[in-house]
């Protein structure tokens, strides 16, 4: 698991087994480190599409269940301190999100 608040692996297991399971688990609280642990065969995990891509010279991840898609809502958060650059980035993110959600 990514951390103790990561529900994705449990959600997947509940969907497939149709009951609550409690397998052994370890925590890898870093996005890149989590994917690297899965890539090295230290366990399995739900990995975001962008991180699942095979890096140059790297080992590909094995997809063992193509139906195992869990959409995760994303939220935009920024500091209250404002700057012209942050405002432009925020406006761009909001505009793209609005276009995607249409």
């Amino acid at each position: 698991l990514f951390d103790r608040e990561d529900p994705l692996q449990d959600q997947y297991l509940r969907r497939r087994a149709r009951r609550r399971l409690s397998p052994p688990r370890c925590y890898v609280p870093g996005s890149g480190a989590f994917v690297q642990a899965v890539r090295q065969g230290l366990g399995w995990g739900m990995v975001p599409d962008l991180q699942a891509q095979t890096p140059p010279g790297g080992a590909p991840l094995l997809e063992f269940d193509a139906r195992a898609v869990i959409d995760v809502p994303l939220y935009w958060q920024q500091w209250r301190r404002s700057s012209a650059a942050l405002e432009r980035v925020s406006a761009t993110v909001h505009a793209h999100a609005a276009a995607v959600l249409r």
Side-chain angles (χ1 to χ4, degrees), residues 17-90:
R18 296 191 175 122
R19 63 187 173 98
R20 194 175 287 267
L21 300 174
S22 187
R25 54 188 81 218
C26 60
Y27 302 97
V28 184
S31 180
F34 178 82
V35 175
Q36 190 64 24
V38 172
R39 194 173 297 285
Q40 292 177 354
L42 298 175
W44 68 275
M46 303 295 290
V47 175
D49 291 339
L50 287 175
Q51 288 182 299
Q53 297 173 3
T54 304
L61 289 172
L62 172 64
E63 182 177 14
F64 62 86
D65 186 352
R67 298 176 297 160
V69 174
I70 297 177
D71 289 325
V72 177
L74 299 176
Y75 301 91
W76 177 250
Q77 177 179 330
Q78 74 181 58
W79 293 306
R80 289 184 184 187
R81 177 165 284 178
S82 184
S83 73
L86 279 177
E87 292 303 320
R88 286 193 304 272
V89 168
S90 183

